[in-house]
Every structure is written in C-alpha cells, then in structure tokens.
C-alpha cells in the first residue's frame, strides 16, 4: 500500500492497495477523498486493516510524518507503516514510471460510478505528460506504490 497524504485544501488523500501476481500489480482497492485528516486517518486504517498489506509507505512531505504517528496506533499489529520523503520532482517521477505502470498495472473494471476507485481512475486519466493537470494525487500515489514494489521485488522485472 502507498499513501499520498493531502497537504493542501484542494489535494486528495489517496491510499492505493496493490497485489502482485507474477509480474503484474493489480490495483485492488483505493481510498481517494478530500475529507479532513481526522476522517482520513480512520478511513485509511479501515482499508489497510481490511487488506493487511505486507508493506505500507506514507509520503512524509509536508503533513505525512505527523500522519504516520496518527495512523500507526489504529493499524493491526502486523502492519508497520513507513514514512518516506520524496526528494525528486513529482512530475518527473510520474513520467519516468508511466511506462512501467502501463505495462504492469492492472485496474478493476467493476467499480461504481462516483466511488473512490472511479475518482482515482478519473484523476489518472486526467493527468497529462506536460504536467498541467489540475490534480496529480492518483498518479503520484500510483508512482509511489510502483516504486516501492519495484525496489522490494526487483527480481520480478529483470
């Protein structure tokens, strides 16, 4: 799982849950919302506890480091969230990972219109190569998930 914490009022809070099968990453569930941090902590804990991911990374830029300390006590004991700080340009990271995402990520097609998954997919499709999309929260969190998975399971994509 990867969490991109909303850091401004217009940002969306995004939790992406991926499952690896062979050399594909199935995006099985997402939380994609503009609700307050207090509400996001509980919603994030619920989705993480439901899926019990092996790894959880939280982007710690801006409010992310505080978020990790609020979330950790609400998680199943087997889940250990890890804060990470992005040090490179977000748009560059997304563009560099876009080929991998296109080749190795598979998305559900059974989600309801208006659901978090639907909003997440809309945000993915709105992102443009010139970086001028109004919002980039879904592509940013998807890039974070793929980077994490590639670093932990590099042997799958050699």
């Amino acid at each position: 799982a990867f969490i991109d914490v909303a850091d401004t009022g217009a940002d969306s809070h995004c939790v992406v849950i991926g499952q690896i099968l062979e050399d594909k990453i199935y995006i099985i569930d997402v939380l994609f919302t503009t609700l307050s941090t207090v509400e996001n902590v509980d919603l994030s804990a619920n989705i993480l506890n439901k899926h019990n991911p092996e790894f959880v990374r939280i982007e710690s830029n801006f409010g992310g480091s505080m978020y990790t300390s609020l979330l950790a006590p609400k998680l199943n004991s087997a889940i250990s969230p890890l804060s990470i700080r992005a040090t490179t340009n977000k748009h560059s990271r997304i563009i560099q990972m876009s080929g991998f995402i296109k080749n190795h990520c598979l998305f559900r097609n059974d989600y309801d219109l208006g659901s978090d998954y639907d909003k997440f997919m809309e945000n993915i499709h709105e992102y443009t190569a010139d970086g001028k999309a109004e919002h980039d929260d879904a592509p940013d969190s998807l890039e974070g998930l793929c980077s994490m998975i590639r670093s932990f399971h590099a042997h799958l994509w050699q």
Side-chain angles (χ1 to χ4, degrees), residues 7-18:
D7 53 15
T8 67
D11 275 356
S12 292
H13 175 82
C14 188
V15 180
V16 182
I17 308 288

Side-chain angles (χ1 to χ4, degrees), residues 15-151:
V15 180
V16 182
I17 308 288
Q19 182 175 358
I20 303 169
L21 293 172
E22 296 181 8
D23 69 340
K24 301 294 183 193
I25 302 168
Y26 292 83
I27 307 305
I28 59 172
D29 209 352
V30 298
L31 170 64
F32 195 77
T33 182
T34 56
L35 293 173
S36 72
T37 299
V38 172
E39 294 166 303
N40 288 341
V41 169
D42 288 336
L43 292 171
S44 295
N46 289 342
I47 194 171
L48 293 170
N49 288 333
K50 174 183 174 185
H51 293 288
N52 205 30
E54 183 178 6
F55 300 103
V56 178
R57 283 209 174 158
I58 301 172
E59 192 170 67
S60 66
N61 301 3
F62 305 107
S65 56
M66 173 200 66
Y67 195 84
T68 303
S69 64
L70 294 172
L71 180 63
K74 297 177 180 270
L75 297 176
N76 296 336
S77 61
I79 302 173
S80 298
L82 174 65
S83 294
I84 62 159
R85 180 173 281 293
T87 57
T88 57
N89 177 276
K90 181 190 308 188
H91 178 66
S92 296
R93 290 191 324 263
I94 293 168
I95 294 302
Q96 288 173 351
M97 189 60 69
S98 64
F100 180 86
I101 290 169
K102 288 177 186 176
N103 289 324
H104 298 286
C105 289
L106 298 173
F107 301 90
R108 293 175 39 197
N109 60 9
D110 64 344
Y111 53 86
D112 294 329
L113 292 177
S115 67
D116 284 359
Y117 206 103
D118 182 47
K119 293 173 193 171
F120 171 82
M121 293 303 294
E122 247 179 66
N123 196 235
I124 294 282
H125 291 295
E126 290 171 354
Y127 194 77
T128 58
D130 63 9
K132 293 184 180 179
E134 186 176 348
H135 298 286
D136 57 14
D137 303 305
D140 188 27
S141 58
L142 187 57
E143 179 279 325
L145 177 73
C146 290
S147 290
M148 176 185 69
I149 289 174
R150 282 181 68 178
S151 70

